[in-house]
């Protein structure tokens, strides 16, 4: 997609959240941004707006001559602005009525309403950022935890693009060499060339697959996951649920069957958003409502990304519940009520440990072991790694698919060379790999797809 595919007239929008606030910002971008802003100033169009300087002005209606607001006006001259165009920001009082009136004046002077994400789209089209960085802006705005915000900020600084750049440059060099070999028969590759180029392709492929492999954790950091707590009635699932949340959300009583339907809430565990699901206790019952709750428990366990089985460590017999959970993929076993005398048999413990999943002892009543449980959940999510200290992380399914496609193309090119096929055959896959990497940074995406991506942004960004 190029600038010629797009209407680059002057646009405007409110850049602050809707509602009442101390400050409301209207942003204009385009070649007429400064001229339109000057017409709104009570001092007249002769006012000089100095780049990168903020000045206090009375904002006047060009239709009625009445003062609308008193605001700080800041001018950013192209190309030294967020969008790469002339940008003016009018920071007035955060009244929806005042902001709406200002926009009406701006539109009457020739600007049009900005589409969702249009300011970021212009920054992309003007080379101020690539598409991966633009998407990071959206993720940063929508971040719910500090962990998500840190990751989005790193991607906004170009971490993913920076890792891809040397691979793309190396790939371009190979393509140029192969194109020359096709053009000039006398430069045909010998066995040593094939071995060297195959090694280069294998190295690039490994780097791309390693980057794509980070999506397993990156997807969870960006979108969160669903964790279900299952177990018999009265084992303390709701108490564990409340302890992880850090507040009383689920009703806790000594009456079996208190929780009859799945109850959910979201908590950040070491910065990763986790939807906790407290399920109905599993037991044989004639109560129709409770039976329906048990069925929903089974359904919640099958739909969850992680499943924790909660067991009463003070109970003498846990054979039936162990028998039940053996039919469900369990990620962690939690032995609750460790503040009471431990009565589980060695046989029961041995049976639980057969699948190799961790067994933790906690007391939801006293809080003992709850931090260890959070650590264990985090470790299950990340595989024991420290994502923010291990280089670029892929959080977008679109990026993941492009990396997988590029890796496969490099694999095919390497296989073709090894099979003795011509450079021309290998070139097809090399070009496809380069095209796939361009999908991430935006060089090879068509206009419709780019518009769909930016349509997910908020209007003022």
């Amino acid at each position: 997609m190029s600038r010629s595919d797009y209407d680059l007239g002057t646009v405007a929008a409110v850049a602050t959240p809707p509602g009442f606030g101390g400050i409301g910002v209207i942003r204009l971008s385009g070649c007429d941004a400064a001229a339109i802003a000057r017409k709104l100033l009570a001092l007249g169009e002769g006012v000089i707006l100095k780049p990168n300087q903020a000045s206090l002005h009375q904002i006047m209606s060009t239709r009625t001559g009445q003062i609308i607001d008193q605001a700080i006006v800041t001018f950013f001259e192209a190309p030294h602005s967020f969008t790469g165009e002339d940008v003016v920001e009018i920071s007035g009082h955060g009244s929806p009525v005042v902001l709406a009136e200002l926009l009406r004046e701006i539109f009457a002077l020739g600007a049009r309403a900005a589409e969702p994400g249009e300011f970021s789209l212009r920054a992309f089209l003007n080379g101020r950022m690539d598409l991966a960085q633009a998407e990071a802006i959206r993720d940063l705005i929508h971040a719910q935890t500090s962990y998500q915000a840190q990751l989005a900020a790193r991607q906004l600084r170009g971490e993913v693009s920076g890792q891809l750049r040397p691979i793309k440059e190396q790939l371009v060099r190979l393509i140029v060499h192969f194109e020359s070999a096709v053009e000039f028969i006398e430069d045909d590759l010998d066995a040593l060339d094939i071995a060297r180029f195959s090694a280069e392709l294998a190295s690039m492929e490994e780097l791309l697959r390693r980057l794509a492999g980070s999506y397993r954790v990156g997807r969870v950091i960006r979108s969160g996951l669903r964790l279900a707590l299952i177990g018999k009635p009265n084992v303390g699932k709701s108490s564990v649920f409340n302890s992880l949340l850090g507040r009383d959300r689920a009703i806790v009583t000594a009456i079996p069957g208190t929780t009859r339907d799945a109850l959910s809430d979201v908590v950040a565990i070491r910065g990763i958003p986790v939807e906790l699901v407290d399920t109905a206790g599993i037991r044989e019952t004639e109560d129709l409502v409770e039976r329906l709750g048990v069925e929903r428990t089974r359904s919640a366990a099958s739909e969850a990304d992680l499943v924790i089985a909660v067991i009463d460590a003070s109970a003498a017999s846990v054979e039936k519940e162990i028998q039940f959970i053996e039919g469900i993929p369990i990620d962690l076993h939690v032995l609750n009520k460790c503040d009471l005398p431990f009565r589980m048999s060695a046989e029961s413990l041995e049976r639980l440990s057969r699948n190799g999943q961790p067994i933790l002892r906690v007391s939801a009543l006293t809080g003992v072991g709850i931090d260890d449980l959070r650590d264990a959940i985090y470790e299950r999510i990340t595989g024991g790694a420290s994502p923010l200290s291990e280089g670029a992380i892929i959080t977008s399914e679109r990026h993941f698919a492009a990396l997988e496609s590029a890796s496969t193309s490099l694999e095919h090119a390497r296989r073709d060379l090894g099979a003795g096929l011509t450079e021309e055959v290998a070139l097809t896959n090399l070009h496809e790999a380069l095209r796939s990497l361009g999908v991430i940074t935006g060089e090879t995406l068509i206009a419709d797809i780019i518009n769909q991506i930016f349509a997910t942004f908020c209007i003022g960004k």
Side-chain angles (χ1 to χ4, degrees), residues 225-237:
L225 56 74
R226 186 177 175 90
L227 187 157
L229 299 169
I230 68 168
K232 276 179 58 179
N234 265 23
V235 297
K237 295 187 307 301

Side-chain angles (χ1 to χ4, degrees), residues 93-411:
H93 295 90
S95 162
V97 173
V98 170
L99 294 174
E101 179 63 21
L102 278 174
L103 275 181
R104 280 194 292 270
E105 292 287 336
I106 290 169
F107 295 153
L109 291 171
R112 65 169 175 81
E115 299 291 336
E118 186 164 356
F119 294 102
S120 297
L121 174 59
R122 287 169 177 241
F124 164 68
L125 293 175
N126 290 316
R128 298 292 290 173
M129 65 180 70
D130 62 34
L131 191 56
Q133 290 174 294
E135 290 174 291
I137 292 175
R138 177 192 58 198
D139 291 345
L140 186 58
I141 291 172
H142 291 206
Q144 296 176 302
T145 71
S146 60
Y147 207 83
Q148 290 175 317
Q150 289 177 56
L151 182 55
R154 283 171 47 171
Q155 294 179 336
L156 178 57
R157 294 195 297 269
E159 192 170 73
V160 172
S161 310
Q163 286 215 0
L164 292 180
R165 189 175 301 112
I167 298 175
K168 291 166 69 176
E169 290 172 353
Q170 187 178 7
L171 189 53
V172 168
R173 285 196 298 271
L174 280 178
I175 288 174
V176 170
H177 194 97
F178 281 25
E179 293 279 10
S180 298
V182 171
E183 187 69 25
F184 304 103
I185 303 301
E186 62 272 17
D187 293 336
D188 199 16
L189 303 180
D190 60 25
L192 289 177
D193 288 331
I194 292 174
R196 185 175 76 254
F197 292 141
S198 294
E200 286 189 49
L201 291 171
S203 176
M204 287 188 284
E205 182 187 338
E206 181 185 355
L207 290 172
L208 292 179
R209 291 203 185 279
R210 189 184 310 154
L211 189 56
S214 69
Y215 179 62
R216 185 188 69 81
V217 174
R219 175 185 63 83
V220 172
I221 295 175
R222 183 187 182 200
S223 305
L225 56 74
R226 186 177 175 90
L227 187 157
L229 299 169
I230 68 168
K232 276 179 58 179
N234 265 23
V235 297
K237 295 187 307 301
S238 296
S239 297
V240 172
F241 177 85
N242 288 339
S243 295
L244 288 172
L245 282 178
R247 58 189 175 87
D248 291 340
R249 174 73 168 83
I251 298 173
V252 178
T253 75
I255 304 171
T258 300
T259 303
R260 295 189 167 204
D261 198 357
L263 179 69
S264 67
D265 210 330
V266 177
V267 63
I269 294 182
R270 305 292 184 259
I272 296 177
V274 175
E275 181 188 4
L276 296 177
V277 182
D278 179 24
T279 63
I282 301 163
R283 66 169 180 170
E284 297 296 330
T285 177
E286 297 301 319
D287 186 304
L288 177 60
V289 175
E290 198 173 344
R291 280 166 53 195
L292 289 173
V294 171
E295 287 304 312
R296 291 191 179 184
T297 293
R298 297 177 190 272
S299 176
S302 67
E303 295 171 358
D305 299 292
L306 291 177
V307 178
I308 292 180
V310 181
I311 298 170
D312 183 356
S314 68
S317 175
V318 293
E319 291 306 306
K320 285 188 177 180
E321 54 193 299
I322 291 178
Q323 183 178 0
F324 173 81
I325 64 177
E326 283 180 334
I328 297 175
I330 303 296
D331 295 281
L332 293 169
H333 296 98
V334 171
L335 308 184
N336 191 29
K337 304 186 183 181
C338 69
D339 53 297
L340 300 176
F342 192 84
R343 300 177 64 190
M344 280 184 64
S345 66
E347 291 78 13
S348 295
L349 277 175
E350 193 277 332
R351 191 172 172 185
L352 276 181
S353 63
R354 284 177 189 168
N355 63 1
Q357 303 305 340
I359 300 175
L360 288 86
R361 300 189 185 192
V362 308
S363 170
L365 179 64
T366 65
V368 170
I370 295 299
D371 280 341
D372 291 337
L373 176 56
R374 291 192 182 97
D375 288 339
I377 293 170
Y378 178 81
E379 186 170 347
R380 295 294 295 183
I381 294 171
T382 64
S386 299
L388 291 185
S389 64
E390 297 190 354
I393 300 174
I394 298 301
T395 60
S396 164
E397 184 177 358
R398 190 178 69 81
H399 296 178
F400 171 71
L403 287 170
E404 287 283 281
S405 176
S407 302
T408 301
S409 295
L410 291 178
E411 180 186 359

Side-chain angles (χ1 to χ4, degrees), residues 34 36-45 47-49 55-60 62 67 71 73 90:
I36 290 173
R38 284 196 297 267
K39 290 178 182 178
L40 294 170
L41 305 183
L43 293 177
E45 293 185 53
V47 172
I48 297 175
L49 296 176
S55 51
L56 181 65
H57 291 275
Q58 300 284 344
I59 307 299
M60 182 186 70
T62 57
I67 298 298
V73 179
I90 302 173

